Amino acid sequence: MAVMRKCCFCWDLKVGGIVLGVFSVLFSLASIVYCIWMIVEMELQNWRGRPVVQNYYQKRLEDEIILYRLISEILLGIGIFVNIAIFISSICLIVGARTEKKSRILPYLIFQWLGIIGTALYCFFHGSTAVKEGRSQQGTITIVVGSVYIVLAFYFWFCVLALYQTIRDNQRHNPRVQHPQDRHAAYSPVQ
């Protein structure tokens, strides 16, 4: 049984799945560009040089900032690959919603989870790095915007899950919607 009947309280799940797939394609492309831009920006900050360290505490703070930036760059690099996978799985979601094939929707459900986890990790590290560097307003905004995105992503993930469950239930209860290999297996003689 599906966890919900309508997407965004007004659309049919099939239409909602197609719309969410299109938005996900656009958002994943924007996320790829953003990840690349952030990596370039961090590298430019490192390339510009570091200020002369006055004492031990400033040196230690600088080392922590370098570590946080390194972790952020690694997460951004992983984010690029995850967003490429989300892009491809979003196209599969659009096709799966249009043709009502649950196997096409499943990759989106898996990779969207990876995207949500990656976004949470990145927002935590990027926000804490900004706070460590003395940019607490930017860090707070990053964490708040990331949290809002995560909540929306969970809701949209549940909409797609409901579409998957509806298609699965329709295929179980409608004997005409069987795969060819299942139909032949049902009529094979017993040996």
Side-chain angles (χ1 to χ4, degrees):
M1 179 176 217
V3 292
M4 59 181 68
R5 298 276 180 225
K6 298 276 185 186
C7 181
C8 301
F9 307 107
C10 59
W11 288 336
D12 180 47
L13 288 175
K14 182 177 177 178
V15 173
I18 294 170
V19 169
L20 289 175
V22 170
F23 281 141
S24 185
V25 163
L26 296 174
F27 189 77
S28 62
L29 286 175
S31 295
I32 291 167
V33 170
Y34 174 76
C35 289
I36 292 170
W37 176 70
M38 286 302 296
I39 289 173
V40 169
E41 181 67 26
M42 286 182 195
E43 286 301 318
L44 284 176
Q45 286 177 0
N46 289 338
W47 181 72
R48 287 183 192 137
R50 298 181 185 95
V52 177
V53 177
Q54 301 293 330
N55 58 32
Y56 169 76
Y57 295 107
Q58 287 180 341
K59 173 69 174 150
R60 185 171 173 194
L61 180 63
E62 180 183 334
D63 290 343
E64 287 178 13
I65 290 171
I66 291 170
L67 178 65
Y68 277 111
R69 283 185 181 170
L70 177 65
I71 292 171
S72 292
E73 287 182 13
I74 290 170
L75 289 174
L76 285 167
I78 293 170
I80 291 170
F81 291 110
V82 169
N83 279 304
I84 289 171
I86 290 173
F87 174 79
I88 293 168
S89 66
S90 297
I91 292 171
C92 290
L93 169 64
I94 295 168
V95 172
R98 290 190 73 217
T99 60
E100 294 187 5
K101 295 195 183 223
K102 66 179 184 176
S103 62
R104 302 277 170 107
I105 297 172
L106 194 58
Y108 178 84
L109 293 172
I110 294 167
F111 287 114
Q112 189 62 27
W113 260 108
L114 293 175
I116 291 170
I117 292 168
T119 301
L121 289 173
Y122 172 73
C123 288
F124 170 74
F125 281 112
H126 186 66
S128 62
T129 301
V131 169
K132 277 269 196 209
E133 292 177 348
R135 299 176 286 131
S136 60
Q137 184 178 10
Q138 181 184 1
T140 304
I141 290 171
T142 300
I143 292 172
V144 169
V145 169
S147 299
V148 169
Y149 167 77
I150 290 168
V151 168
L152 289 174
F154 270 128
Y155 175 73
F156 294 146
W157 185 86
F158 276 112
C159 289
V160 175
L161 177 65
L163 174 64
Y164 176 83
Q165 291 172 336
T166 301
I167 292 171
R168 182 195 63 204
D169 292 344
N170 287 344
Q171 287 177 351
R172 281 186 187 165
H173 299 299
N174 190 355
R176 290 184 180 186
V177 186
Q178 286 185 349
H179 296 290
Q181 64 269 26
D182 294 339
R183 186 175 57 236
H184 294 298
Y187 298 112
S188 63
V190 178
Q191 295 184 22

